[in-house]
């Protein structure tokens, strides 16, 4: 199951073709006439795992179809690098707070029916999913809201806790809510998937489309997979036998030039998963399985939208809250500033715009003003994002010079370079054209001193523009390249 460059090349070729066609065709005048919004949010989904983003192993036919019908943002970045801050950021179009009227509430206040199904704001997964509770949801956002309960790791079937090398069908002793090994759990079981939260989310969303399709609606469907635990019917695991999985390339001494602040909390050297290379492959298999299961639910929802004749009046947005590490740099999970975590899938399919791909640097905070403009609604003054409608009109256009992400520091992703600055002053710098996998930290290379100074200044200016304070350096820097 080698991920060769052939698919990436085909995707790039298609991108160039579609971009050319988009520029050659005169688009109809746009008047902000959409009357429906369908927001589809996946959880912990890294962009690089989707077929439409170049992965030739994972089967994502429905998202690939949506990509062919919409605009694919090749360089979209989250602002928060774990669930709660990321979801707050795109629902309020704010970098660090929840000031102002949120996205769904804005539509509701303008007379649109507004509904949430599943996880949109933060929920504990698996805790709130098992309990069927609202989590950190904001009730003012919705006309109605619905949770999608599931048994998660307690689903009867073939259970694995891969960093503990445990395989069993017993229900007792499974890692679940707040337990330290829950991130490495998978369950493969006999069934059709209808008992799973994402299937229930698709069912309810379809029901709401049928019930409310005759009026303007803002419906947000939150799908929890591929967030752990990776639970799905066994036939979703079948296409991904672990024996055929190739693990990510990790050069010898890859971590030597990454400052301490840039290291993931969970990595092979400090977690038992590092002792089990075969189980690392099983992690990929389970992740792929639940991505494909999630993709099928997206397909069910969009098929119903088409069947009801609502596609011509509906803007569809698909995104993930952040990416994920599955062994790259020996890292696991999220909450750091490297590309596999900060880069997210983003697809927008809206009537009146041609399908294409774009390399425009984009942030998730840009979703709110984009949808408001598409619907002909005013953009509140509290919004910090930028409308992407100019990019929908012309995929060669751009509204940003760089994308900003925040964690225990800041990441600034420009056209060529990715720069990270941590709260203790340590830094990372990567030439993304020469080194897209971020193997060589140029912040320790004196030949890039001028570039480093420029990016330091760019970060300071960007933070000032967004009203974000650059924190004082805490403790001794991990290297000599501090601001």
């Amino acid at each position: 199951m080698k991920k060769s460059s052939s698919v990436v090349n085909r995707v790039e070729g298609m991108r160039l073709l579609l971009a050319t066609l988009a520029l050659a065709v005169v688009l109809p005048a746009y008047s902000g006439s959409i009357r429906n919004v369908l927001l589809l949010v996946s959880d912990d989904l890294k962009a690089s795992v989707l077929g439409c983003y170049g992965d030739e192993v994972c089967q994502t036919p429905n998202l690939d179809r949506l990509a062919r019908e919409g605009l694919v943002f090749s360089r979209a970045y989250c602002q928060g690098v774990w669930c709660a801050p990321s979801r707050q950021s795109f629902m309020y179009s704010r970098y660090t707070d929840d000031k102002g009227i949120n996205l769904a509430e804005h539509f509701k206040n303008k007379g649109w029916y507004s509904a949430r199904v599943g996880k949109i704001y933060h929920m504990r997964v698996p805790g709130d999913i098992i309990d069927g509770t609202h989590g950190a949801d904001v009730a003012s956002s919705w006309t109605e809201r619905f949770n999608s309960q599931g048994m998660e790791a307690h689903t009867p079937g073939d259970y694995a806790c891969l960093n503990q090398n445990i395989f069993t069908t017993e229900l007792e002793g499974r890692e679940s809510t707040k337990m330290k090994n829950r991130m490495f759990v998978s369950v493969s079981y006999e069934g059709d998937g209808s008992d799973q939260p994402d299937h229930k989310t698709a069912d309810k969303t379809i029901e709401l489309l049928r019930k409310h399709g005759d009026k303007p609606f803002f419906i947000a469907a939150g799908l929890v997979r591929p967030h752990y635990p990776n639970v799905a019917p066994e036939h979703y695991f079948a296409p991904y036998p672990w024996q055929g999985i190739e693990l990510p390339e990790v050069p010898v001494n890859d971590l030597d030039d990454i400052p301490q602040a840039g290291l993931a909390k969970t990595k092979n050297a400090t977690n038992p998963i590092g002792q089990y290379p075969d189980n690392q492959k099983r992690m990929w298999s389970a992740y792929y399985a639940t991505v494909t299961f999630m993709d099928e639910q997206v397909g069910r929802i969009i098929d119903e939208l088409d069947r009801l004749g609502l596609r011509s009046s509906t803007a569809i947005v698909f995104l993930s809250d952040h990416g994920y590490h599955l062994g790259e740099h020996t890292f696991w999970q999220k909450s750091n500033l490297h590309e596999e975590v900060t880069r997210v899938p983003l697809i927008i399919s809206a009537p009146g715009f041609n399908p294409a791909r774009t390399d425009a640097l984009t942030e998730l905070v840009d979703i709110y003003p984009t949808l408001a403009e598409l619907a002909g609604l005013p953009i509140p003054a509290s919004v910090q994002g930028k409308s992407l409608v100019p990019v929908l009109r012309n995929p060669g256009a751009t509204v940003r010079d760089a994308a900003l992400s925040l964690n225990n520091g800041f990441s600034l992703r420009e056209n060529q370079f990715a720069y990270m600055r941590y709260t203790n002053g340590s830094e990372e710098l990567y030439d993304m054209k020469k080194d897209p996998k971020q193997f060589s930290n140029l912040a320790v290379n004196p030949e890039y001193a001028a570039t480093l100074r420029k990016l330091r200044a760019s970060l300071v200016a960007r933070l000032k523009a967004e009203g974000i304070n650059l924190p004082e350096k805490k403790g001794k820097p991990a290297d000599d390249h501090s601001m």
Side-chain angles (χ1 to χ4, degrees), residues 71 89 125 142 173 178 246 276 326 342 380 430 464 467 469 472:
L71 182 62
S89 74
V125 181
W142 319 110
K178 296 184 179 181
E246 291 193 9
Y276 304 110
L326 285 168
T342 59
Y430 299 96
K464 182 178 180 180
N469 293 324
E472 296 293 328

Side-chain angles (χ1 to χ4, degrees), residues 130-172:
I130 294 171
D131 296 339
T133 43
H134 291 308
D137 187 51
V138 180
S140 63
S141 307
W142 319 110
T143 310
E144 295 184 283
R145 54 182 180 166
F146 305 91
N147 299 323
S148 300
Q149 191 274 339
M151 296 176 68
E152 300 290 80
H154 307 288
T155 303
D158 293 324
Y159 164 93
C161 183
L162 293 168
N163 73 329
Q164 300 297 302
N165 201 36
I166 294 173
F167 302 88
T168 184
T169 59
E170 297 294 325
L171 292 174
E172 293 185 3

Side-chain angles (χ1 to χ4, degrees), residues 64-242:
D64 295 349
R65 170 166 54 102
L66 182 64
R68 292 192 297 270
E69 297 166 348
L71 182 62
V72 178
F73 291 80
S74 298
R75 296 196 296 181
Y77 292 85
C78 64
Q79 281 51 79
V81 294
W82 63 283
C83 300
S86 177
R87 290 162 184 270
Q88 176 180 281
S89 74
F90 66 72
M91 289 302 290
Y92 284 89
S93 190
R94 303 283 299 179
Y95 290 94
T96 60
D97 58 53
D98 57 358
K99 294 179 180 178
I101 298 171
N102 65 65
L103 171 59
E105 185 178 14
H106 185 47
F107 277 79
K108 180 168 72 76
N109 289 349
K110 298 300 180 182
W112 293 45
Y113 169 78
S114 174
R116 169 187 65 79
V117 188
K119 178 181 176 181
I120 296 299
Y121 294 98
H122 182 54
M123 288 181 176
R124 295 173 302 126
V125 181
D128 285 313
I129 305 304
I130 294 171
D131 296 339
T133 43
H134 291 308
D137 187 51
V138 180
S140 63
S141 307
W142 319 110
T143 310
E144 295 184 283
R145 54 182 180 166
F146 305 91
N147 299 323
S148 300
Q149 191 274 339
M151 296 176 68
E152 300 290 80
H154 307 288
T155 303
D158 293 324
Y159 164 93
C161 183
L162 293 168
N163 73 329
Q164 300 297 302
N165 201 36
I166 294 173
F167 302 88
T168 184
T169 59
E170 297 294 325
L171 292 174
E172 293 185 3
R174 296 189 175 192
E175 292 277 324
S176 189
T177 306
K178 296 184 179 181
M179 299 176 74
K180 67 178 183 178
N181 299 305
R182 67 190 184 280
M183 304 84 166
F184 294 96
V185 166
S186 68
V187 181
S188 171
Y189 74 102
E190 294 182 8
D192 62 2
S194 60
D195 59 330
Q196 293 302 305
D198 284 357
H199 196 286
K200 294 177 181 180
T201 292
D203 284 347
K204 176 57 72 171
T205 302
I206 288 168
E207 177 186 324
L208 296 179
L209 290 173
R210 294 170 179 170
K211 186 176 181 180
H212 298 283
D214 61 342
K215 61 178 77 73
F217 63 72
F218 181 102
I219 296 177
L223 303 157
V224 296
R225 301 282 88 92
H227 193 293
Y228 60 78
N230 292 127
V231 183
E234 58 189 7
H235 62 272
Y236 292 94
F237 284 77
Y240 312 114
W242 65 266

